[in-house]
Amino acid sequence: MGQSTARPAVSLEALSRNELEFREEVIYFLIVDRFNDATSDEEERRGIWDRGDMPGLYDKTWMQWGKYWGGNLQGVIAKIPYLQALGVTAVWLSPLFEQVDDMQFDRAPMHGYWTKDFKRINPRFLPTEESSSIHHSTTLRALVEALHEAGIKLVLDVVCNHSSPDINGSKGVVLDDGKPLADYHNDATGFYYHYPEITDWEDEYQLVHHEMCGLATFNEKNVAYRNYIKQAIREWINVGVDALRIDTVKHMPIWFWQEFTSEMKAHKSDLFIFGEYGFGKPWDARTVEYANKAGMSILDFGLCDGIRFAFSQSQPGGFQLVQSVLEYDHVYRRASELVTFIDNHDMPRFLSICPDRRKLEQAAILLFCLRGVPCLFYGTEQYLVNNTDGGSDPYNRPMMDSWDEGADLFRIVQLLIRLRRANQAFTFGSHQQLYVSEDIYAFVRAYRDSYVLCILNKGVDAEITLQVPSQLGSGALVCELTGRSIDVRDGQIGLLTLQSGASHLFSCPGQRLTGTVVATFQLNGLETNPGQRIALTGDCEELGAWDLARSYGMEYVNLNTWICEVAFEVSAGRLINYKFVVLNDTTGAFLHENITPRRLLLPVGGRVKVDALWDAC
């Protein structure tokens, strides 16, 4: 008899679990090879550094930028106390998969994007003679355990679009846990597309089918390929991966991602997934479609550009460029879950385009105060930079060379993370611009009774007055960054002197909602008008038992988004029915969704997260 293909039974508890609430996380992205070398003394003595099949790919002098420099998984483990001290809650590692062990011109695949075997670990990241199998690697297990013990989640970088380019006559040779699976030059089963390189980056067909930088491009229509890549990532998830970062999302069709993400979340229901839609902007329809319909969040290149342009002055507008990006937030269904950043491994570091440490500190403050899940590129907190060739790849990937926990930016980031964890306005709050110009930006984030007021001046000394939300009350506010006190009177901050380079951050955390079960509901897909508000109504006591007078009010986030948390006590563990409803307190009018009630199986305890799209049909 053949093996059964039936899926295991799913428990009711599993059905009530869902995606991690990643808005409260802070991601630290590191290039494994360039982070920390923890080669053992014995290996040093024996001269064992080149752990791959081919010698000569390792450069201990750190002068040949295309070669391996020795960072490894044990090096990451050794620096977990440093990451924990900084306060980051998730670590995104550059791809760990086994790579083609060869050089193309002057470069080896230290970056991790020329995969040879998706079910094995790059042996160059492991101790000598340790198994590279993800099932037998003691170092990988130790890494996962050490991260989780420190309260840090593991983000796996996944490459579904391509394998390797032509290197010395070999291209796209892929193994399945050591067994031959595919070869671009001997592709009888159609694992790959065989098209030339992309020449028109606006052509949908070329984006999906043609090659990027000569990389062998997988044929996602081939079900054998899809089964292989999905099984490989499931096996990594089983080791303890908490989230996935997906490479080159724009180069595969959206139907593939819908299939892939749904199956990954079926395997691990609380998995958070975000993708790299390279240089996508909110005014680009295809970017928004992928962000809203692919089953994952995306990296926010639009906001990254806005912040970089504002400080580098490479485009006119200053902080108005940042505000203009945020004004597009309503096009996204989950703008507050976009992963935000100011530099990464594909662009010059911030200090390469703006060589002013004070402005880097201000950019970091802005990053952590705006909506989204902030992601810090390794070494930013230590002002890491190399400006050779303008700091472009590979010079944006220097070796981490400082671990100073007293560095100014380290301590600023440390404080910002603490504030984010304590104040939900950072993670759930709406954004209200108070003042914006080329050089000055003041805004408030607000959620329930929590508030954040951020004021930045990247220009010369200035004086401004600010109208602030009445909920901030009257009295003194004390800056978390400087200790400066300012007075609020009747919703106004009187003449405020801002010194050149000044950064002020005022955090007013409210009371967190508690309960046996706390459910976060987010609604998108409905643009409300002045005077309207959204509420939840349902068949349980906590939602008013269908009585609209006792319905549960939601918080405005942007033109397209409302959010709320609900504490469930008597209904914990129950299946509830609910709807969203538009209320107008002035006219008394109301509008229900035109659907049968939605259903939600609440867990017996803990937190649950619900993303919904308004249904008016």
PDB file of all heavy atoms in Angstrom, residues 92 245 275-283 287 298-309 325 332 338-341 343-347:
ATOM      1  N   TRP A  92      16.343  38.832  11.341  1.00  0.00           N
ATOM      2  CA  TRP A  92      16.266  38.363   9.954  1.00  0.00           C
ATOM      3  C   TRP A  92      17.686  38.064   9.509  1.00  0.00           C
ATOM      4  O   TRP A  92      18.524  38.948   9.446  1.00  0.00           O
ATOM      5  CB  TRP A  92      15.587  39.438   9.119  1.00  0.00           C
ATOM      6  CG  TRP A  92      15.820  39.434   7.645  1.00  0.00           C
ATOM      7  CD1 TRP A  92      16.336  38.443   6.851  1.00  0.00           C
ATOM      8  CD2 TRP A  92      15.537  40.523   6.740  1.00  0.00           C
ATOM      9  NE1 TRP A  92      16.394  38.830   5.546  1.00  0.00           N
ATOM     10  CE2 TRP A  92      15.907  40.098   5.439  1.00  0.00           C
ATOM     11  CE3 TRP A  92      15.004  41.796   6.917  1.00  0.00           C
ATOM     12  CZ2 TRP A  92      15.767  40.932   4.324  1.00  0.00           C
ATOM     13  CZ3 TRP A  92      14.858  42.610   5.802  1.00  0.00           C
ATOM     14  CH2 TRP A  92      15.243  42.174   4.520  1.00  0.00           C
ATOM     15  N   ARG A 245      10.911  36.159   5.308  1.00  0.00           N
ATOM     16  CA  ARG A 245      11.116  37.289   4.409  1.00  0.00           C
ATOM     17  C   ARG A 245      11.295  36.695   3.025  1.00  0.00           C
ATOM     18  O   ARG A 245      12.154  35.823   2.819  1.00  0.00           O
ATOM     19  CB  ARG A 245      12.337  38.094   4.838  1.00  0.00           C
ATOM     20  CG  ARG A 245      12.641  39.296   3.927  1.00  0.00           C
ATOM     21  CD  ARG A 245      13.584  38.936   2.798  1.00  0.00           C
ATOM     22  NE  ARG A 245      13.943  40.095   1.974  1.00  0.00           N
ATOM     23  CZ  ARG A 245      14.699  40.029   0.880  1.00  0.00           C
ATOM     24  NH1 ARG A 245      15.186  38.858   0.464  1.00  0.00           N
ATOM     25  NH2 ARG A 245      14.976  41.109   0.190  1.00  0.00           N
ATOM     26  N   GLY A 275       7.481  40.418   2.115  1.00  0.00           N
ATOM     27  CA  GLY A 275       8.237  40.201   0.894  1.00  0.00           C
ATOM     28  C   GLY A 275       8.940  41.443   0.397  1.00  0.00           C
ATOM     29  O   GLY A 275       8.605  42.568   0.762  1.00  0.00           O
ATOM     30  N   GLU A 276       9.912  41.202  -0.469  1.00  0.00           N
ATOM     31  CA  GLU A 276      10.641  42.285  -1.121  1.00  0.00           C
ATOM     32  C   GLU A 276      10.040  42.516  -2.507  1.00  0.00           C
ATOM     33  O   GLU A 276      10.375  41.810  -3.457  1.00  0.00           O
ATOM     34  CB  GLU A 276      12.122  41.931  -1.247  1.00  0.00           C
ATOM     35  CG  GLU A 276      12.936  42.989  -1.976  1.00  0.00           C
ATOM     36  CD  GLU A 276      14.093  42.422  -2.793  1.00  0.00           C
ATOM     37  OE1 GLU A 276      13.932  41.316  -3.379  1.00  0.00           O
ATOM     38  OE2 GLU A 276      15.141  43.071  -2.859  1.00  0.00           O
ATOM     39  N   TYR A 277       9.141  43.500  -2.591  1.00  0.00           N
ATOM     40  CA  TYR A 277       8.690  43.965  -3.896  1.00  0.00           C
ATOM     41  C   TYR A 277       9.615  45.130  -4.223  1.00  0.00           C
ATOM     42  O   TYR A 277       9.383  46.271  -3.818  1.00  0.00           O
ATOM     43  CB  TYR A 277       7.221  44.391  -3.865  1.00  0.00           C
ATOM     44  CG  TYR A 277       6.668  44.638  -5.254  1.00  0.00           C
ATOM     45  CD1 TYR A 277       5.877  43.690  -5.886  1.00  0.00           C
ATOM     46  CD2 TYR A 277       6.990  45.800  -5.954  1.00  0.00           C
ATOM     47  CE1 TYR A 277       5.392  43.908  -7.171  1.00  0.00           C
ATOM     48  CE2 TYR A 277       6.525  46.014  -7.241  1.00  0.00           C
ATOM     49  CZ  TYR A 277       5.727  45.061  -7.840  1.00  0.00           C
ATOM     50  OH  TYR A 277       5.267  45.267  -9.120  1.00  0.00           O
ATOM     51  N   GLY A 278      10.701  44.834  -4.936  1.00  0.00           N
ATOM     52  CA  GLY A 278      11.807  45.764  -5.092  1.00  0.00           C
ATOM     53  C   GLY A 278      11.408  47.137  -5.593  1.00  0.00           C
ATOM     54  O   GLY A 278      10.825  47.264  -6.667  1.00  0.00           O
ATOM     55  N   PHE A 279      11.690  48.148  -4.782  1.00  0.00           N
ATOM     56  CA  PHE A 279      11.512  49.563  -5.120  1.00  0.00           C
ATOM     57  C   PHE A 279      10.055  49.913  -5.434  1.00  0.00           C
ATOM     58  O   PHE A 279       9.772  50.877  -6.129  1.00  0.00           O
ATOM     59  CB  PHE A 279      12.446  49.955  -6.268  1.00  0.00           C
ATOM     60  CG  PHE A 279      13.885  49.595  -5.981  1.00  0.00           C
ATOM     61  CD1 PHE A 279      14.456  48.457  -6.536  1.00  0.00           C
ATOM     62  CD2 PHE A 279      14.627  50.364  -5.110  1.00  0.00           C
ATOM     63  CE1 PHE A 279      15.770  48.101  -6.236  1.00  0.00           C
ATOM     64  CE2 PHE A 279      15.945  50.014  -4.807  1.00  0.00           C
ATOM     65  CZ  PHE A 279      16.519  48.883  -5.367  1.00  0.00           C
ATOM     66  N   GLY A 280       9.128  49.108  -4.891  1.00  0.00           N
ATOM     67  CA  GLY A 280       7.709  49.372  -5.096  1.00  0.00           C
ATOM     68  C   GLY A 280       7.245  50.612  -4.356  1.00  0.00           C
ATOM     69  O   GLY A 280       7.726  50.934  -3.269  1.00  0.00           O
ATOM     70  N   LYS A 281       6.284  51.305  -4.925  1.00  0.00           N
ATOM     71  CA  LYS A 281       5.756  52.540  -4.354  1.00  0.00           C
ATOM     72  C   LYS A 281       4.231  52.441  -4.241  1.00  0.00           C
ATOM     73  O   LYS A 281       3.586  51.739  -5.029  1.00  0.00           O
ATOM     74  CB  LYS A 281       6.117  53.743  -5.240  1.00  0.00           C
ATOM     75  CG  LYS A 281       7.605  53.887  -5.561  1.00  0.00           C
ATOM     76  CD  LYS A 281       8.457  54.138  -4.325  1.00  0.00           C
ATOM     77  CE  LYS A 281       9.887  54.544  -4.699  1.00  0.00           C
ATOM     78  NZ  LYS A 281      10.607  53.483  -5.432  1.00  0.00           N
ATOM     79  N   PRO A 282       3.640  53.170  -3.297  1.00  0.00           N
ATOM     80  CA  PRO A 282       2.188  53.056  -3.126  1.00  0.00           C
ATOM     81  C   PRO A 282       1.388  53.639  -4.283  1.00  0.00           C
ATOM     82  O   PRO A 282       0.183  53.392  -4.376  1.00  0.00           O
ATOM     83  CB  PRO A 282       1.934  53.834  -1.821  1.00  0.00           C
ATOM     84  CG  PRO A 282       3.086  54.769  -1.696  1.00  0.00           C
ATOM     85  CD  PRO A 282       4.250  54.034  -2.282  1.00  0.00           C
ATOM     86  N   TRP A 283       2.019  54.419  -5.142  1.00  0.00           N
ATOM     87  CA  TRP A 283       1.300  54.945  -6.311  1.00  0.00           C
ATOM     88  C   TRP A 283       1.437  54.021  -7.520  1.00  0.00           C
ATOM     89  O   TRP A 283       0.960  54.329  -8.600  1.00  0.00           O
ATOM     90  CB  TRP A 283       1.784  56.352  -6.653  1.00  0.00           C
ATOM     91  CG  TRP A 283       3.277  56.537  -6.632  1.00  0.00           C
ATOM     92  CD1 TRP A 283       4.163  56.303  -7.640  1.00  0.00           C
ATOM     93  CD2 TRP A 283       4.045  57.001  -5.518  1.00  0.00           C
ATOM     94  NE1 TRP A 283       5.442  56.583  -7.234  1.00  0.00           N
ATOM     95  CE2 TRP A 283       5.400  57.025  -5.929  1.00  0.00           C
ATOM     96  CE3 TRP A 283       3.733  57.403  -4.213  1.00  0.00           C
ATOM     97  CZ2 TRP A 283       6.430  57.423  -5.070  1.00  0.00           C
ATOM     98  CZ3 TRP A 283       4.748  57.797  -3.376  1.00  0.00           C
ATOM     99  CH2 TRP A 283       6.076  57.810  -3.805  1.00  0.00           C
ATOM    100  N   THR A 287       2.388  47.155  -7.241  1.00  0.00           N
ATOM    101  CA  THR A 287       2.921  47.071  -5.883  1.00  0.00           C
ATOM    102  C   THR A 287       1.792  46.888  -4.878  1.00  0.00           C
ATOM    103  O   THR A 287       1.843  46.018  -4.000  1.00  0.00           O
ATOM    104  CB  THR A 287       3.707  48.352  -5.528  1.00  0.00           C
ATOM    105  OG1 THR A 287       4.804  48.506  -6.422  1.00  0.00           O
ATOM    106  CG2 THR A 287       4.229  48.296  -4.101  1.00  0.00           C
ATOM    107  N   ILE A 298       4.754  43.660   2.769  1.00  0.00           N
ATOM    108  CA  ILE A 298       5.927  43.912   1.943  1.00  0.00           C
ATOM    109  C   ILE A 298       6.830  44.932   2.622  1.00  0.00           C
ATOM    110  O   ILE A 298       6.418  45.657   3.534  1.00  0.00           O
ATOM    111  CB  ILE A 298       5.566  44.407   0.525  1.00  0.00           C
ATOM    112  CG1 ILE A 298       4.830  45.757   0.574  1.00  0.00           C
ATOM    113  CG2 ILE A 298       4.771  43.363  -0.239  1.00  0.00           C
ATOM    114  CD1 ILE A 298       4.632  46.395  -0.800  1.00  0.00           C
ATOM    115  N   LEU A 299       8.065  44.978   2.176  1.00  0.00           N
ATOM    116  CA  LEU A 299       9.005  46.000   2.609  1.00  0.00           C
ATOM    117  C   LEU A 299       8.607  47.341   1.982  1.00  0.00           C
ATOM    118  O   LEU A 299       8.288  47.403   0.797  1.00  0.00           O
ATOM    119  CB  LEU A 299      10.419  45.619   2.199  1.00  0.00           C
ATOM    120  CG  LEU A 299      11.044  44.488   3.023  1.00  0.00           C
ATOM    121  CD1 LEU A 299      12.050  43.700   2.201  1.00  0.00           C
ATOM    122  CD2 LEU A 299      11.708  45.046   4.278  1.00  0.00           C
ATOM    123  N   ASP A 300       8.657  48.400   2.783  1.00  0.00           N
ATOM    124  CA  ASP A 300       8.136  49.697   2.350  1.00  0.00           C
ATOM    125  C   ASP A 300       9.240  50.542   1.711  1.00  0.00           C
ATOM    126  O   ASP A 300       9.829  51.423   2.350  1.00  0.00           O
ATOM    127  CB  ASP A 300       7.532  50.421   3.548  1.00  0.00           C
ATOM    128  CG  ASP A 300       6.702  51.628   3.148  1.00  0.00           C
ATOM    129  OD1 ASP A 300       6.764  52.005   1.956  1.00  0.00           O
ATOM    130  OD2 ASP A 300       6.001  52.181   4.004  1.00  0.00           O
ATOM    131  N   PHE A 301       9.491  50.293   0.424  1.00  0.00           N
ATOM    132  CA  PHE A 301      10.511  51.054  -0.293  1.00  0.00           C
ATOM    133  C   PHE A 301      10.099  52.511  -0.481  1.00  0.00           C
ATOM    134  O   PHE A 301      10.952  53.396  -0.551  1.00  0.00           O
ATOM    135  CB  PHE A 301      10.793  50.408  -1.655  1.00  0.00           C
ATOM    136  CG  PHE A 301      11.698  49.218  -1.583  1.00  0.00           C
ATOM    137  CD1 PHE A 301      11.182  47.946  -1.376  1.00  0.00           C
ATOM    138  CD2 PHE A 301      13.073  49.351  -1.720  1.00  0.00           C
ATOM    139  CE1 PHE A 301      12.011  46.838  -1.301  1.00  0.00           C
ATOM    140  CE2 PHE A 301      13.915  48.254  -1.658  1.00  0.00           C
ATOM    141  CZ  PHE A 301      13.390  46.995  -1.445  1.00  0.00           C
ATOM    142  N   GLY A 302       8.805  52.775  -0.583  1.00  0.00           N
ATOM    143  CA  GLY A 302       8.346  54.145  -0.756  1.00  0.00           C
ATOM    144  C   GLY A 302       8.729  55.023   0.418  1.00  0.00           C
ATOM    145  O   GLY A 302       9.275  56.123   0.252  1.00  0.00           O
ATOM    146  N   LEU A 303       8.468  54.536   1.642  1.00  0.00           N
ATOM    147  CA  LEU A 303       8.817  55.313   2.829  1.00  0.00           C
ATOM    148  C   LEU A 303      10.327  55.397   2.990  1.00  0.00           C
ATOM    149  O   LEU A 303      10.857  56.441   3.395  1.00  0.00           O
ATOM    150  CB  LEU A 303       8.181  54.690   4.067  1.00  0.00           C
ATOM    151  CG  LEU A 303       8.342  55.494   5.357  1.00  0.00           C
ATOM    152  CD1 LEU A 303       7.721  56.875   5.223  1.00  0.00           C
ATOM    153  CD2 LEU A 303       7.737  54.744   6.540  1.00  0.00           C
ATOM    154  N   CYS A 304      11.035  54.326   2.663  1.00  0.00           N
ATOM    155  CA  CYS A 304      12.501  54.341   2.715  1.00  0.00           C
ATOM    156  C   CYS A 304      13.046  55.467   1.845  1.00  0.00           C
ATOM    157  O   CYS A 304      13.892  56.269   2.289  1.00  0.00           O
ATOM    158  CB  CYS A 304      13.062  52.997   2.268  1.00  0.00           C
ATOM    159  SG  CYS A 304      14.870  52.934   2.124  1.00  0.00           S
ATOM    160  N   ASP A 305      12.568  55.546   0.621  1.00  0.00           N
ATOM    161  CA  ASP A 305      13.024  56.615  -0.279  1.00  0.00           C
ATOM    162  C   ASP A 305      12.685  57.986   0.284  1.00  0.00           C
ATOM    163  O   ASP A 305      13.495  58.917   0.225  1.00  0.00           O
ATOM    164  CB  ASP A 305      12.383  56.458  -1.660  1.00  0.00           C
ATOM    165  CG  ASP A 305      13.076  55.409  -2.513  1.00  0.00           C
ATOM    166  OD1 ASP A 305      14.112  54.878  -2.076  1.00  0.00           O
ATOM    167  OD2 ASP A 305      12.564  55.130  -3.615  1.00  0.00           O
ATOM    168  N   GLY A 306      11.467  58.136   0.807  1.00  0.00           N
ATOM    169  CA  GLY A 306      11.053  59.420   1.341  1.00  0.00           C
ATOM    170  C   GLY A 306      11.981  59.897   2.449  1.00  0.00           C
ATOM    171  O   GLY A 306      12.387  61.067   2.489  1.00  0.00           O
ATOM    172  N   ILE A 307      12.333  58.994   3.361  1.00  0.00           N
ATOM    173  CA  ILE A 307      13.221  59.359   4.473  1.00  0.00           C
ATOM    174  C   ILE A 307      14.627  59.659   3.962  1.00  0.00           C
ATOM    175  O   ILE A 307      15.242  60.658   4.357  1.00  0.00           O
ATOM    176  CB  ILE A 307      13.250  58.232   5.530  1.00  0.00           C
ATOM    177  CG1 ILE A 307      11.864  58.063   6.175  1.00  0.00           C
ATOM    178  CG2 ILE A 307      14.301  58.533   6.597  1.00  0.00           C
ATOM    179  CD1 ILE A 307      11.756  56.883   7.115  1.00  0.00           C
ATOM    180  N   ARG A 308      15.135  58.816   3.066  1.00  0.00           N
ATOM    181  CA  ARG A 308      16.488  59.026   2.546  1.00  0.00           C
ATOM    182  C   ARG A 308      16.586  60.333   1.756  1.00  0.00           C
ATOM    183  O   ARG A 308      17.545  61.104   1.894  1.00  0.00           O
ATOM    184  CB  ARG A 308      16.902  57.831   1.678  1.00  0.00           C
ATOM    185  CG  ARG A 308      17.239  56.590   2.499  1.00  0.00           C
ATOM    186  CD  ARG A 308      17.285  55.338   1.640  1.00  0.00           C
ATOM    187  NE  ARG A 308      18.437  55.299   0.752  1.00  0.00           N
ATOM    188  CZ  ARG A 308      19.625  54.766   1.064  1.00  0.00           C
ATOM    189  NH1 ARG A 308      19.833  54.264   2.275  1.00  0.00           N
ATOM    190  NH2 ARG A 308      20.609  54.724   0.186  1.00  0.00           N
ATOM    191  N   PHE A 309      15.594  60.607   0.916  1.00  0.00           N
ATOM    192  CA  PHE A 309      15.606  61.849   0.138  1.00  0.00           C
ATOM    193  C   PHE A 309      15.485  63.074   1.056  1.00  0.00           C
ATOM    194  O   PHE A 309      16.108  64.107   0.813  1.00  0.00           O
ATOM    195  CB  PHE A 309      14.457  61.860  -0.869  1.00  0.00           C
ATOM    196  CG  PHE A 309      14.572  60.835  -1.964  1.00  0.00           C
ATOM    197  CD1 PHE A 309      13.436  60.402  -2.635  1.00  0.00           C
ATOM    198  CD2 PHE A 309      15.805  60.306  -2.334  1.00  0.00           C
ATOM    199  CE1 PHE A 309      13.533  59.448  -3.650  1.00  0.00           C
ATOM    200  CE2 PHE A 309      15.904  59.363  -3.341  1.00  0.00           C
ATOM    201  CZ  PHE A 309      14.768  58.929  -4.007  1.00  0.00           C
ATOM    202  N   VAL A 325       4.278  60.316   1.180  1.00  0.00           N
ATOM    203  CA  VAL A 325       4.163  58.859   1.122  1.00  0.00           C
ATOM    204  C   VAL A 325       3.077  58.374   2.071  1.00  0.00           C
ATOM    205  O   VAL A 325       2.237  57.532   1.717  1.00  0.00           O
ATOM    206  CB  VAL A 325       5.513  58.183   1.457  1.00  0.00           C
ATOM    207  CG1 VAL A 325       5.351  56.668   1.546  1.00  0.00           C
ATOM    208  CG2 VAL A 325       6.566  58.531   0.412  1.00  0.00           C
ATOM    209  N   TYR A 332      -3.295  50.750   1.016  1.00  0.00           N
ATOM    210  CA  TYR A 332      -2.912  49.448   1.561  1.00  0.00           C
ATOM    211  C   TYR A 332      -3.980  48.950   2.529  1.00  0.00           C
ATOM    212  O   TYR A 332      -4.588  49.724   3.271  1.00  0.00           O
ATOM    213  CB  TYR A 332      -1.594  49.553   2.327  1.00  0.00           C
ATOM    214  CG  TYR A 332      -0.383  49.874   1.488  1.00  0.00           C
ATOM    215  CD1 TYR A 332       0.292  51.083   1.648  1.00  0.00           C
ATOM    216  CD2 TYR A 332       0.097  48.965   0.549  1.00  0.00           C
ATOM    217  CE1 TYR A 332       1.420  51.377   0.896  1.00  0.00           C
ATOM    218  CE2 TYR A 332       1.225  49.255  -0.210  1.00  0.00           C
ATOM    219  CZ  TYR A 332       1.877  50.455  -0.034  1.00  0.00           C
ATOM    220  OH  TYR A 332       2.989  50.740  -0.791  1.00  0.00           O
ATOM    221  N   LEU A 338       3.425  47.138   7.138  1.00  0.00           N
ATOM    222  CA  LEU A 338       4.537  47.222   6.197  1.00  0.00           C
ATOM    223  C   LEU A 338       5.838  47.241   6.989  1.00  0.00           C
ATOM    224  O   LEU A 338       5.917  47.831   8.063  1.00  0.00           O
ATOM    225  CB  LEU A 338       4.426  48.487   5.350  1.00  0.00           C
ATOM    226  CG  LEU A 338       3.181  48.614   4.459  1.00  0.00           C
ATOM    227  CD1 LEU A 338       3.138  49.996   3.822  1.00  0.00           C
ATOM    228  CD2 LEU A 338       3.165  47.528   3.393  1.00  0.00           C
ATOM    229  N   VAL A 339       6.859  46.588   6.454  1.00  0.00           N
ATOM    230  CA  VAL A 339       8.156  46.554   7.136  1.00  0.00           C
ATOM    231  C   VAL A 339       8.979  47.732   6.629  1.00  0.00           C
ATOM    232  O   VAL A 339       9.247  47.862   5.432  1.00  0.00           O
ATOM    233  CB  VAL A 339       8.879  45.224   6.907  1.00  0.00           C
ATOM    234  CG1 VAL A 339      10.264  45.235   7.543  1.00  0.00           C
ATOM    235  CG2 VAL A 339       8.044  44.071   7.487  1.00  0.00           C
ATOM    236  N   THR A 340       9.361  48.617   7.553  1.00  0.00           N
ATOM    237  CA  THR A 340       9.986  49.889   7.201  1.00  0.00           C
ATOM    238  C   THR A 340      11.483  49.855   7.491  1.00  0.00           C
ATOM    239  O   THR A 340      11.941  49.159   8.392  1.00  0.00           O
ATOM    240  CB  THR A 340       9.321  51.037   7.970  1.00  0.00           C
ATOM    241  OG1 THR A 340       9.422  50.787   9.379  1.00  0.00           O
ATOM    242  CG2 THR A 340       7.853  51.160   7.588  1.00  0.00           C
ATOM    243  N   PHE A 341      12.256  50.660   6.742  1.00  0.00           N
ATOM    244  CA  PHE A 341      13.715  50.640   6.862  1.00  0.00           C
ATOM    245  C   PHE A 341      14.288  51.901   6.239  1.00  0.00           C
ATOM    246  O   PHE A 341      13.593  52.615   5.496  1.00  0.00           O
ATOM    247  CB  PHE A 341      14.280  49.399   6.170  1.00  0.00           C
ATOM    248  CG  PHE A 341      13.949  49.293   4.692  1.00  0.00           C
ATOM    249  CD1 PHE A 341      14.893  49.584   3.724  1.00  0.00           C
ATOM    250  CD2 PHE A 341      12.672  48.908   4.272  1.00  0.00           C
ATOM    251  CE1 PHE A 341      14.595  49.505   2.370  1.00  0.00           C
ATOM    252  CE2 PHE A 341      12.359  48.823   2.916  1.00  0.00           C
ATOM    253  CZ  PHE A 341      13.323  49.129   1.963  1.00  0.00           C
ATOM    254  N   ASP A 343      17.844  51.693   5.178  1.00  0.00           N
ATOM    255  CA  ASP A 343      18.858  51.163   4.260  1.00  0.00           C
ATOM    256  C   ASP A 343      18.839  49.640   4.343  1.00  0.00           C
ATOM    257  O   ASP A 343      18.265  49.059   5.263  1.00  0.00           O
ATOM    258  CB  ASP A 343      20.259  51.732   4.527  1.00  0.00           C
ATOM    259  CG  ASP A 343      20.715  51.614   5.975  1.00  0.00           C
ATOM    260  OD1 ASP A 343      20.078  50.883   6.753  1.00  0.00           O
ATOM    261  OD2 ASP A 343      21.723  52.261   6.326  1.00  0.00           O
ATOM    262  N   ASN A 344      19.448  48.996   3.343  1.00  0.00           N
ATOM    263  CA  ASN A 344      19.539  47.540   3.363  1.00  0.00           C
ATOM    264  C   ASN A 344      20.729  47.089   2.525  1.00  0.00           C
ATOM    265  O   ASN A 344      21.573  47.893   2.128  1.00  0.00           O
ATOM    266  CB  ASN A 344      18.221  46.898   2.891  1.00  0.00           C
ATOM    267  CG  ASN A 344      17.933  47.115   1.413  1.00  0.00           C
ATOM    268  OD1 ASN A 344      18.786  47.565   0.641  1.00  0.00           O
ATOM    269  ND2 ASN A 344      16.730  46.786   0.991  1.00  0.00           N
ATOM    270  N   HIS A 345      20.798  45.800   2.227  1.00  0.00           N
ATOM    271  CA  HIS A 345      21.952  45.204   1.559  1.00  0.00           C
ATOM    272  C   HIS A 345      22.015  45.507   0.063  1.00  0.00           C
ATOM    273  O   HIS A 345      23.005  45.147  -0.587  1.00  0.00           O
ATOM    274  CB  HIS A 345      21.934  43.700   1.765  1.00  0.00           C
ATOM    275  CG  HIS A 345      20.690  43.021   1.244  1.00  0.00           C
ATOM    276  ND1 HIS A 345      19.428  43.482   1.505  1.00  0.00           N
ATOM    277  CD2 HIS A 345      20.515  41.917   0.476  1.00  0.00           C
ATOM    278  CE1 HIS A 345      18.534  42.695   0.931  1.00  0.00           C
ATOM    279  NE2 HIS A 345      19.174  41.744   0.287  1.00  0.00           N
ATOM    280  N   ASP A 346      20.985  46.145  -0.489  1.00  0.00           N
ATOM    281  CA  ASP A 346      20.960  46.443  -1.922  1.00  0.00           C
ATOM    282  C   ASP A 346      21.144  47.924  -2.234  1.00  0.00           C
ATOM    283  O   ASP A 346      21.017  48.321  -3.395  1.00  0.00           O
ATOM    284  CB  ASP A 346      19.639  45.955  -2.531  1.00  0.00           C
ATOM    285  CG  ASP A 346      19.558  44.444  -2.623  1.00  0.00           C
ATOM    286  OD1 ASP A 346      20.603  43.805  -2.826  1.00  0.00           O
ATOM    287  OD2 ASP A 346      18.446  43.899  -2.473  1.00  0.00           O
ATOM    288  N   MET A 347      21.394  48.736  -1.239  1.00  0.00           N
ATOM    289  CA  MET A 347      21.558  50.173  -1.455  1.00  0.00           C
ATOM    290  C   MET A 347      22.667  50.694  -0.548  1.00  0.00           C
ATOM    291  O   MET A 347      22.980  50.082   0.473  1.00  0.00           O
ATOM    292  CB  MET A 347      20.239  50.900  -1.170  1.00  0.00           C
ATOM    293  CG  MET A 347      19.740  50.754   0.247  1.00  0.00           C
ATOM    294  SD  MET A 347      18.145  51.593   0.572  1.00  0.00           S
ATOM    295  CE  MET A 347      17.026  50.654  -0.472  1.00  0.00           C
TER     296      MET A 347
END
